[in-house]
Amino acid sequence: MTNSPWRLARRADRMNPSVIREILKVTERPGIISFAGGLPSSKTFPVAEFDAACAKVLRDDPAGALQYAASEGFGPLRERVAEMLPWNVDPAQVLITTGSQQGLDLVAKVLIDANSKILVESPTYLGAVMAFIPMEPDVVSVASDEHGLIIDDLSTKAQDARFLYVLPNFQNPTGRTMSESRRAALSAFAAAQGLPLIEDNPYGDLWFDAPPPAPLTARNPDGCIYLGSFSKVLAPGLRLGFVVAPKAVYPKLLQAKQAADLHSPGFNQRMIAEVMKDGFLQRHVPTIRALYKSQRDAMLEALAQHFPDTPSQPDQSLTWNTPAGGMFLWACLPQGMSAVDFLPFAVDQGVAFVPGAPFYADHGDPRTLRLSFVTPSVDEIHQGVAALALAVKTYAATL
């Protein structure tokens, strides 16, 4: 490229390919059982309902559906979003986005200056870090445990931070859920310190036995920006999400949206609004929960079977958590192992996963890995975990 006339912006140097997307290329090989992707199960897509909605939208309002539209989003859809949230939301605060990933990009553009400090959980969603990094922030990780973000560590790092990005429900990548006591403490601390919160909640409806505690935004709406998605409860291919923002920042998010893509697809918005009417989500989402719970249980059963607690073989053990909802399980290899180094051994056995280290903004634990349980069948889950166990033995023998 030495003779190229193209001069890249400095921020382009901070853009890197998604580790997950690169690993997904491996899963396209025939015979690979993938625990890698964060893809919803295609069994959950309401095809018949979208078929009917598509016909109705084109029959009733073809010009409106296929024309340019308002940047804020389709009015009836914004109203339905406001109605389904568990606190008082004015539809004028709702901005429809091209997937919730665009919401992260808009937040980055509006709130981050070069060298400004932002806070994230440890670990955190890789896609958020990818959205934030081009704006050249100083990304600081806040320690977390199985109950969520640790407030004592936050208190030592919060000064002068632009915001804290957090996923309280069935977090990607760990699957953990922030406890009610941590939410109350975090909300009180953030309000007292004037620390804005970016609450990302794409998985909150996917609980298995009991719904998670109330959102952080419900406790302090003026101090939070809330991101949601239709990808996990309807279909990701429509690429629609939403942002609920305080009046103090909404206009600038809207202007950033206008500069990015003018508006999200109006036809898709009308289809989702049509599908959502008459309480369809209240009937549909429980079927997703039941399916994902059965697949989580299958993975837990397979892990217990193939990685028994045997002190005589500590170098071949695996530890894992039990998520109460969502799509992911977080596991950890024995001391001295690396999930990145282990991945080729797993692929050789016909199974793939995502190493956990890329989900850390700094000082990632190389032993961690994310396992998605929602795309493979129950039989594939058992086969894949058996292959993982064999791969661990093969990998351990090389150390």
PDB file of all heavy atoms in Angstrom, residues 287-317:
ATOM      1  N   THR A 287     -42.556 -19.247  24.308  1.00  0.00           N
ATOM      2  CA  THR A 287     -42.106 -20.423  23.552  1.00  0.00           C
ATOM      3  C   THR A 287     -40.601 -20.389  23.338  1.00  0.00           C
ATOM      4  O   THR A 287     -39.949 -21.443  23.310  1.00  0.00           O
ATOM      5  CB  THR A 287     -42.826 -20.497  22.189  1.00  0.00           C
ATOM      6  OG1 THR A 287     -42.426 -19.406  21.348  1.00  0.00           O
ATOM      7  CG2 THR A 287     -44.336 -20.454  22.374  1.00  0.00           C
ATOM      8  N   ILE A 288     -40.032 -19.192  23.182  1.00  0.00           N
ATOM      9  CA  ILE A 288     -38.578 -19.071  23.058  1.00  0.00           C
ATOM     10  C   ILE A 288     -37.917 -19.453  24.375  1.00  0.00           C
ATOM     11  O   ILE A 288     -36.923 -20.199  24.400  1.00  0.00           O
ATOM     12  CB  ILE A 288     -38.179 -17.632  22.664  1.00  0.00           C
ATOM     13  CG1 ILE A 288     -38.899 -17.182  21.388  1.00  0.00           C
ATOM     14  CG2 ILE A 288     -36.666 -17.530  22.478  1.00  0.00           C
ATOM     15  CD1 ILE A 288     -38.612 -15.747  20.994  1.00  0.00           C
ATOM     16  N   ARG A 289     -38.461 -18.955  25.478  1.00  0.00           N
ATOM     17  CA  ARG A 289     -37.900 -19.289  26.793  1.00  0.00           C
ATOM     18  C   ARG A 289     -37.869 -20.792  27.018  1.00  0.00           C
ATOM     19  O   ARG A 289     -36.873 -21.343  27.502  1.00  0.00           O
ATOM     20  CB  ARG A 289     -38.726 -18.621  27.891  1.00  0.00           C
ATOM     21  CG  ARG A 289     -38.682 -17.115  27.918  1.00  0.00           C
ATOM     22  CD  ARG A 289     -39.567 -16.594  29.036  1.00  0.00           C
ATOM     23  NE  ARG A 289     -39.736 -15.149  28.947  1.00  0.00           N
ATOM     24  CZ  ARG A 289     -40.888 -14.517  29.120  1.00  0.00           C
ATOM     25  NH1 ARG A 289     -41.989 -15.199  29.402  1.00  0.00           N
ATOM     26  NH2 ARG A 289     -40.949 -13.200  29.024  1.00  0.00           N
ATOM     27  N   ALA A 290     -38.971 -21.459  26.689  1.00  0.00           N
ATOM     28  CA  ALA A 290     -39.046 -22.902  26.921  1.00  0.00           C
ATOM     29  C   ALA A 290     -38.006 -23.647  26.093  1.00  0.00           C
ATOM     30  O   ALA A 290     -37.344 -24.579  26.582  1.00  0.00           O
ATOM     31  CB  ALA A 290     -40.458 -23.399  26.598  1.00  0.00           C
ATOM     32  N   LEU A 291     -37.848 -23.241  24.825  1.00  0.00           N
ATOM     33  CA  LEU A 291     -36.860 -23.885  23.964  1.00  0.00           C
ATOM     34  C   LEU A 291     -35.451 -23.666  24.496  1.00  0.00           C
ATOM     35  O   LEU A 291     -34.660 -24.620  24.630  1.00  0.00           O
ATOM     36  CB  LEU A 291     -36.977 -23.330  22.546  1.00  0.00           C
ATOM     37  CG  LEU A 291     -35.919 -23.811  21.548  1.00  0.00           C
ATOM     38  CD1 LEU A 291     -36.045 -25.309  21.309  1.00  0.00           C
ATOM     39  CD2 LEU A 291     -36.021 -23.038  20.230  1.00  0.00           C
ATOM     40  N   TYR A 292     -35.110 -22.418  24.820  1.00  0.00           N
ATOM     41  CA  TYR A 292     -33.755 -22.121  25.260  1.00  0.00           C
ATOM     42  C   TYR A 292     -33.452 -22.758  26.613  1.00  0.00           C
ATOM     43  O   TYR A 292     -32.317 -23.178  26.869  1.00  0.00           O
ATOM     44  CB  TYR A 292     -33.544 -20.612  25.320  1.00  0.00           C
ATOM     45  CG  TYR A 292     -33.461 -19.936  23.971  1.00  0.00           C
ATOM     46  CD1 TYR A 292     -33.595 -20.666  22.789  1.00  0.00           C
ATOM     47  CD2 TYR A 292     -33.253 -18.560  23.861  1.00  0.00           C
ATOM     48  CE1 TYR A 292     -33.524 -20.040  21.558  1.00  0.00           C
ATOM     49  CE2 TYR A 292     -33.179 -17.931  22.624  1.00  0.00           C
ATOM     50  CZ  TYR A 292     -33.315 -18.683  21.472  1.00  0.00           C
ATOM     51  OH  TYR A 292     -33.240 -18.065  20.246  1.00  0.00           O
ATOM     52  N   LYS A 293     -34.443 -22.833  27.483  1.00  0.00           N
ATOM     53  CA  LYS A 293     -34.213 -23.487  28.768  1.00  0.00           C
ATOM     54  C   LYS A 293     -33.897 -24.963  28.572  1.00  0.00           C
ATOM     55  O   LYS A 293     -32.984 -25.508  29.222  1.00  0.00           O
ATOM     56  CB  LYS A 293     -35.422 -23.325  29.679  1.00  0.00           C
ATOM     57  CG  LYS A 293     -35.226 -23.981  31.045  1.00  0.00           C
ATOM     58  CD  LYS A 293     -36.434 -23.818  31.954  1.00  0.00           C
ATOM     59  CE  LYS A 293     -36.191 -24.514  33.301  1.00  0.00           C
ATOM     60  NZ  LYS A 293     -37.357 -24.393  34.206  1.00  0.00           N
ATOM     61  N   SER A 294     -34.605 -25.623  27.674  1.00  0.00           N
ATOM     62  CA  SER A 294     -34.338 -27.045  27.438  1.00  0.00           C
ATOM     63  C   SER A 294     -32.943 -27.246  26.864  1.00  0.00           C
ATOM     64  O   SER A 294     -32.259 -28.224  27.203  1.00  0.00           O
ATOM     65  CB  SER A 294     -35.391 -27.629  26.493  1.00  0.00           C
ATOM     66  OG  SER A 294     -35.261 -27.118  25.175  1.00  0.00           O
ATOM     67  N   GLN A 295     -32.495 -26.309  26.044  1.00  0.00           N
ATOM     68  CA  GLN A 295     -31.154 -26.431  25.474  1.00  0.00           C
ATOM     69  C   GLN A 295     -30.075 -26.091  26.506  1.00  0.00           C
ATOM     70  O   GLN A 295     -29.018 -26.725  26.528  1.00  0.00           O
ATOM     71  CB  GLN A 295     -31.053 -25.550  24.235  1.00  0.00           C
ATOM     72  CG  GLN A 295     -31.900 -26.078  23.079  1.00  0.00           C
ATOM     73  CD  GLN A 295     -32.008 -25.122  21.919  1.00  0.00           C
ATOM     74  OE1 GLN A 295     -32.919 -24.304  21.867  1.00  0.00           O
ATOM     75  NE2 GLN A 295     -31.081 -25.211  20.994  1.00  0.00           N
ATOM     76  N   ARG A 296     -30.348 -25.106  27.365  1.00  0.00           N
ATOM     77  CA  ARG A 296     -29.405 -24.842  28.464  1.00  0.00           C
ATOM     78  C   ARG A 296     -29.279 -26.065  29.357  1.00  0.00           C
ATOM     79  O   ARG A 296     -28.167 -26.470  29.746  1.00  0.00           O
ATOM     80  CB  ARG A 296     -29.866 -23.656  29.298  1.00  0.00           C
ATOM     81  CG  ARG A 296     -28.937 -23.357  30.479  1.00  0.00           C
ATOM     82  CD  ARG A 296     -29.624 -22.742  31.659  1.00  0.00           C
ATOM     83  NE  ARG A 296     -30.665 -23.587  32.225  1.00  0.00           N
ATOM     84  CZ  ARG A 296     -31.346 -23.300  33.322  1.00  0.00           C
ATOM     85  NH1 ARG A 296     -31.105 -22.171  33.977  1.00  0.00           N
ATOM     86  NH2 ARG A 296     -32.290 -24.129  33.772  1.00  0.00           N
ATOM     87  N   ASP A 297     -30.401 -26.677  29.698  1.00  0.00           N
ATOM     88  CA  ASP A 297     -30.379 -27.855  30.561  1.00  0.00           C
ATOM     89  C   ASP A 297     -29.611 -29.001  29.911  1.00  0.00           C
ATOM     90  O   ASP A 297     -28.879 -29.735  30.585  1.00  0.00           O
ATOM     91  CB  ASP A 297     -31.804 -28.301  30.888  1.00  0.00           C
ATOM     92  CG  ASP A 297     -32.542 -27.324  31.795  1.00  0.00           C
ATOM     93  OD1 ASP A 297     -31.876 -26.440  32.374  1.00  0.00           O
ATOM     94  OD2 ASP A 297     -33.773 -27.448  31.921  1.00  0.00           O
ATOM     95  N   ALA A 298     -29.756 -29.143  28.596  1.00  0.00           N
ATOM     96  CA  ALA A 298     -29.012 -30.183  27.886  1.00  0.00           C
ATOM     97  C   ALA A 298     -27.515 -29.929  27.960  1.00  0.00           C
ATOM     98  O   ALA A 298     -26.722 -30.870  28.155  1.00  0.00           O
ATOM     99  CB  ALA A 298     -29.469 -30.252  26.429  1.00  0.00           C
ATOM    100  N   MET A 299     -27.109 -28.678  27.836  1.00  0.00           N
ATOM    101  CA  MET A 299     -25.679 -28.373  27.916  1.00  0.00           C
ATOM    102  C   MET A 299     -25.149 -28.607  29.325  1.00  0.00           C
ATOM    103  O   MET A 299     -24.052 -29.165  29.498  1.00  0.00           O
ATOM    104  CB  MET A 299     -25.394 -26.945  27.461  1.00  0.00           C
ATOM    105  CG  MET A 299     -23.915 -26.581  27.487  1.00  0.00           C
ATOM    106  SD  MET A 299     -23.501 -25.066  26.578  1.00  0.00           S
ATOM    107  CE  MET A 299     -23.466 -25.692  24.883  1.00  0.00           C
ATOM    108  N   LEU A 300     -25.903 -28.193  30.344  1.00  0.00           N
ATOM    109  CA  LEU A 300     -25.472 -28.435  31.720  1.00  0.00           C
ATOM    110  C   LEU A 300     -25.356 -29.934  31.998  1.00  0.00           C
ATOM    111  O   LEU A 300     -24.398 -30.387  32.648  1.00  0.00           O
ATOM    112  CB  LEU A 300     -26.450 -27.796  32.700  1.00  0.00           C
ATOM    113  CG  LEU A 300     -26.496 -26.260  32.713  1.00  0.00           C
ATOM    114  CD1 LEU A 300     -27.624 -25.783  33.623  1.00  0.00           C
ATOM    115  CD2 LEU A 300     -25.160 -25.681  33.165  1.00  0.00           C
ATOM    116  N   GLU A 301     -26.314 -30.706  31.503  1.00  0.00           N
ATOM    117  CA  GLU A 301     -26.268 -32.155  31.692  1.00  0.00           C
ATOM    118  C   GLU A 301     -25.061 -32.761  30.994  1.00  0.00           C
ATOM    119  O   GLU A 301     -24.353 -33.615  31.555  1.00  0.00           O
ATOM    120  CB  GLU A 301     -27.562 -32.773  31.146  1.00  0.00           C
ATOM    121  CG  GLU A 301     -27.621 -34.295  31.257  1.00  0.00           C
ATOM    122  CD  GLU A 301     -28.874 -34.866  30.612  1.00  0.00           C
ATOM    123  OE1 GLU A 301     -29.813 -34.087  30.315  1.00  0.00           O
ATOM    124  OE2 GLU A 301     -28.906 -36.091  30.395  1.00  0.00           O
ATOM    125  N   ALA A 302     -24.797 -32.314  29.768  1.00  0.00           N
ATOM    126  CA  ALA A 302     -23.660 -32.860  29.024  1.00  0.00           C
ATOM    127  C   ALA A 302     -22.338 -32.476  29.669  1.00  0.00           C
ATOM    128  O   ALA A 302     -21.406 -33.299  29.745  1.00  0.00           O
ATOM    129  CB  ALA A 302     -23.720 -32.360  27.580  1.00  0.00           C
ATOM    130  N   LEU A 303     -22.227 -31.257  30.148  1.00  0.00           N
ATOM    131  CA  LEU A 303     -20.995 -30.835  30.812  1.00  0.00           C
ATOM    132  C   LEU A 303     -20.750 -31.653  32.077  1.00  0.00           C
ATOM    133  O   LEU A 303     -19.609 -32.084  32.346  1.00  0.00           O
ATOM    134  CB  LEU A 303     -21.068 -29.344  31.148  1.00  0.00           C
ATOM    135  CG  LEU A 303     -20.943 -28.378  29.970  1.00  0.00           C
ATOM    136  CD1 LEU A 303     -21.347 -26.967  30.383  1.00  0.00           C
ATOM    137  CD2 LEU A 303     -19.516 -28.368  29.412  1.00  0.00           C
ATOM    138  N   ALA A 304     -21.785 -31.876  32.854  1.00  0.00           N
ATOM    139  CA  ALA A 304     -21.633 -32.674  34.074  1.00  0.00           C
ATOM    140  C   ALA A 304     -21.232 -34.111  33.750  1.00  0.00           C
ATOM    141  O   ALA A 304     -20.484 -34.744  34.499  1.00  0.00           O
ATOM    142  CB  ALA A 304     -22.935 -32.651  34.871  1.00  0.00           C
ATOM    143  N   GLN A 305     -21.729 -34.614  32.636  1.00  0.00           N
ATOM    144  CA  GLN A 305     -21.415 -35.983  32.244  1.00  0.00           C
ATOM    145  C   GLN A 305     -19.984 -36.124  31.743  1.00  0.00           C
ATOM    146  O   GLN A 305     -19.276 -37.067  32.114  1.00  0.00           O
ATOM    147  CB  GLN A 305     -22.387 -36.448  31.156  1.00  0.00           C
ATOM    148  CG  GLN A 305     -22.092 -37.844  30.604  1.00  0.00           C
ATOM    149  CD  GLN A 305     -23.023 -38.208  29.466  1.00  0.00           C
ATOM    150  OE1 GLN A 305     -24.019 -37.512  29.205  1.00  0.00           O
ATOM    151  NE2 GLN A 305     -22.711 -39.288  28.761  1.00  0.00           N
ATOM    152  N   HIS A 306     -19.554 -35.186  30.929  1.00  0.00           N
ATOM    153  CA  HIS A 306     -18.254 -35.333  30.268  1.00  0.00           C
ATOM    154  C   HIS A 306     -17.114 -34.626  30.998  1.00  0.00           C
ATOM    155  O   HIS A 306     -15.944 -34.877  30.686  1.00  0.00           O
ATOM    156  CB  HIS A 306     -18.346 -34.812  28.833  1.00  0.00           C
ATOM    157  CG  HIS A 306     -19.224 -35.644  27.956  1.00  0.00           C
ATOM    158  ND1 HIS A 306     -18.845 -36.875  27.481  1.00  0.00           N
ATOM    159  CD2 HIS A 306     -20.489 -35.427  27.486  1.00  0.00           C
ATOM    160  CE1 HIS A 306     -19.812 -37.388  26.734  1.00  0.00           C
ATOM    161  NE2 HIS A 306     -20.820 -36.531  26.721  1.00  0.00           N
ATOM    162  N   PHE A 307     -17.438 -33.769  31.949  1.00  0.00           N
ATOM    163  CA  PHE A 307     -16.410 -33.118  32.764  1.00  0.00           C
ATOM    164  C   PHE A 307     -16.744 -33.320  34.241  1.00  0.00           C
ATOM    165  O   PHE A 307     -17.040 -32.365  34.959  1.00  0.00           O
ATOM    166  CB  PHE A 307     -16.327 -31.618  32.441  1.00  0.00           C
ATOM    167  CG  PHE A 307     -15.821 -31.313  31.066  1.00  0.00           C
ATOM    168  CD1 PHE A 307     -16.706 -31.068  30.027  1.00  0.00           C
ATOM    169  CD2 PHE A 307     -14.461 -31.257  30.800  1.00  0.00           C
ATOM    170  CE1 PHE A 307     -16.255 -30.769  28.754  1.00  0.00           C
ATOM    171  CE2 PHE A 307     -13.991 -30.964  29.532  1.00  0.00           C
ATOM    172  CZ  PHE A 307     -14.887 -30.722  28.498  1.00  0.00           C
ATOM    173  N   PRO A 308     -16.734 -34.569  34.689  1.00  0.00           N
ATOM    174  CA  PRO A 308     -17.054 -34.816  36.103  1.00  0.00           C
ATOM    175  C   PRO A 308     -16.003 -34.211  37.016  1.00  0.00           C
ATOM    176  O   PRO A 308     -14.859 -33.971  36.608  1.00  0.00           O
ATOM    177  CB  PRO A 308     -17.071 -36.339  36.193  1.00  0.00           C
ATOM    178  CG  PRO A 308     -16.174 -36.798  35.082  1.00  0.00           C
ATOM    179  CD  PRO A 308     -16.368 -35.795  33.975  1.00  0.00           C
ATOM    180  N   ASP A 309     -16.399 -33.965  38.240  1.00  0.00           N
ATOM    181  CA  ASP A 309     -15.495 -33.381  39.236  1.00  0.00           C
ATOM    182  C   ASP A 309     -14.567 -34.479  39.736  1.00  0.00           C
ATOM    183  O   ASP A 309     -14.859 -35.188  40.695  1.00  0.00           O
ATOM    184  CB  ASP A 309     -16.302 -32.787  40.389  1.00  0.00           C
ATOM    185  CG  ASP A 309     -15.419 -32.025  41.370  1.00  0.00           C
ATOM    186  OD1 ASP A 309     -14.225 -31.850  41.071  1.00  0.00           O
ATOM    187  OD2 ASP A 309     -15.935 -31.618  42.422  1.00  0.00           O
ATOM    188  N   THR A 310     -13.426 -34.638  39.046  1.00  0.00           N
ATOM    189  CA  THR A 310     -12.475 -35.700  39.379  1.00  0.00           C
ATOM    190  C   THR A 310     -11.142 -35.084  39.774  1.00  0.00           C
ATOM    191  O   THR A 310     -10.369 -34.655  38.924  1.00  0.00           O
ATOM    192  CB  THR A 310     -12.264 -36.641  38.174  1.00  0.00           C
ATOM    193  OG1 THR A 310     -11.931 -35.834  37.031  1.00  0.00           O
ATOM    194  CG2 THR A 310     -13.528 -37.434  37.873  1.00  0.00           C
ATOM    195  N   PRO A 311     -10.855 -34.992  41.067  1.00  0.00           N
ATOM    196  CA  PRO A 311      -9.594 -34.399  41.524  1.00  0.00           C
ATOM    197  C   PRO A 311      -8.361 -35.069  40.940  1.00  0.00           C
ATOM    198  O   PRO A 311      -7.293 -34.468  40.865  1.00  0.00           O
ATOM    199  CB  PRO A 311      -9.652 -34.584  43.045  1.00  0.00           C
ATOM    200  CG  PRO A 311     -11.113 -34.711  43.359  1.00  0.00           C
ATOM    201  CD  PRO A 311     -11.723 -35.413  42.188  1.00  0.00           C
ATOM    202  N   SER A 312      -8.499 -36.321  40.488  1.00  0.00           N
ATOM    203  CA  SER A 312      -7.338 -37.025  39.947  1.00  0.00           C
ATOM    204  C   SER A 312      -6.919 -36.506  38.580  1.00  0.00           C
ATOM    205  O   SER A 312      -5.814 -36.790  38.119  1.00  0.00           O
ATOM    206  CB  SER A 312      -7.649 -38.528  39.841  1.00  0.00           C
ATOM    207  OG  SER A 312      -8.735 -38.736  38.948  1.00  0.00           O
ATOM    208  N   GLN A 313      -7.809 -35.740  37.909  1.00  0.00           N
ATOM    209  CA  GLN A 313      -7.487 -35.214  36.584  1.00  0.00           C
ATOM    210  C   GLN A 313      -7.763 -33.709  36.514  1.00  0.00           C
ATOM    211  O   GLN A 313      -8.548 -33.250  35.690  1.00  0.00           O
ATOM    212  CB  GLN A 313      -8.303 -35.943  35.513  1.00  0.00           C
ATOM    213  CG  GLN A 313      -7.952 -37.418  35.377  1.00  0.00           C
ATOM    214  CD  GLN A 313      -8.792 -38.086  34.305  1.00  0.00           C
ATOM    215  OE1 GLN A 313     -10.000 -37.927  34.263  1.00  0.00           O
ATOM    216  NE2 GLN A 313      -8.134 -38.823  33.423  1.00  0.00           N
ATOM    217  N   PRO A 314      -7.111 -32.937  37.357  1.00  0.00           N
ATOM    218  CA  PRO A 314      -7.399 -31.491  37.358  1.00  0.00           C
ATOM    219  C   PRO A 314      -7.014 -30.816  36.058  1.00  0.00           C
ATOM    220  O   PRO A 314      -7.559 -29.760  35.728  1.00  0.00           O
ATOM    221  CB  PRO A 314      -6.556 -30.982  38.527  1.00  0.00           C
ATOM    222  CG  PRO A 314      -5.453 -31.977  38.663  1.00  0.00           C
ATOM    223  CD  PRO A 314      -6.054 -33.305  38.310  1.00  0.00           C
ATOM    224  N   ASP A 315      -6.066 -31.387  35.307  1.00  0.00           N
ATOM    225  CA  ASP A 315      -5.635 -30.762  34.065  1.00  0.00           C
ATOM    226  C   ASP A 315      -6.633 -30.961  32.933  1.00  0.00           C
ATOM    227  O   ASP A 315      -6.461 -30.417  31.844  1.00  0.00           O
ATOM    228  CB  ASP A 315      -4.269 -31.308  33.647  1.00  0.00           C
ATOM    229  CG  ASP A 315      -4.284 -32.806  33.374  1.00  0.00           C
ATOM    230  OD1 ASP A 315      -5.130 -33.506  33.978  1.00  0.00           O
ATOM    231  OD2 ASP A 315      -3.463 -33.266  32.564  1.00  0.00           O
ATOM    232  N   GLN A 316      -7.684 -31.744  33.159  1.00  0.00           N
ATOM    233  CA  GLN A 316      -8.691 -31.971  32.136  1.00  0.00           C
ATOM    234  C   GLN A 316     -10.079 -31.503  32.581  1.00  0.00           C
ATOM    235  O   GLN A 316     -11.082 -31.856  31.984  1.00  0.00           O
ATOM    236  CB  GLN A 316      -8.737 -33.465  31.774  1.00  0.00           C
ATOM    237  CG  GLN A 316      -7.431 -33.979  31.191  1.00  0.00           C
ATOM    238  CD  GLN A 316      -7.449 -35.466  30.899  1.00  0.00           C
ATOM    239  OE1 GLN A 316      -8.506 -36.068  30.786  1.00  0.00           O
ATOM    240  NE2 GLN A 316      -6.275 -36.066  30.795  1.00  0.00           N
ATOM    241  N   SER A 317     -10.116 -30.713  33.630  1.00  0.00           N
ATOM    242  CA  SER A 317     -11.393 -30.254  34.171  1.00  0.00           C
ATOM    243  C   SER A 317     -11.868 -29.006  33.440  1.00  0.00           C
ATOM    244  O   SER A 317     -11.122 -28.354  32.719  1.00  0.00           O
ATOM    245  CB  SER A 317     -11.259 -29.967  35.661  1.00  0.00           C
ATOM    246  OG  SER A 317     -10.376 -28.883  35.866  1.00  0.00           O
TER     247      SER A 317
END
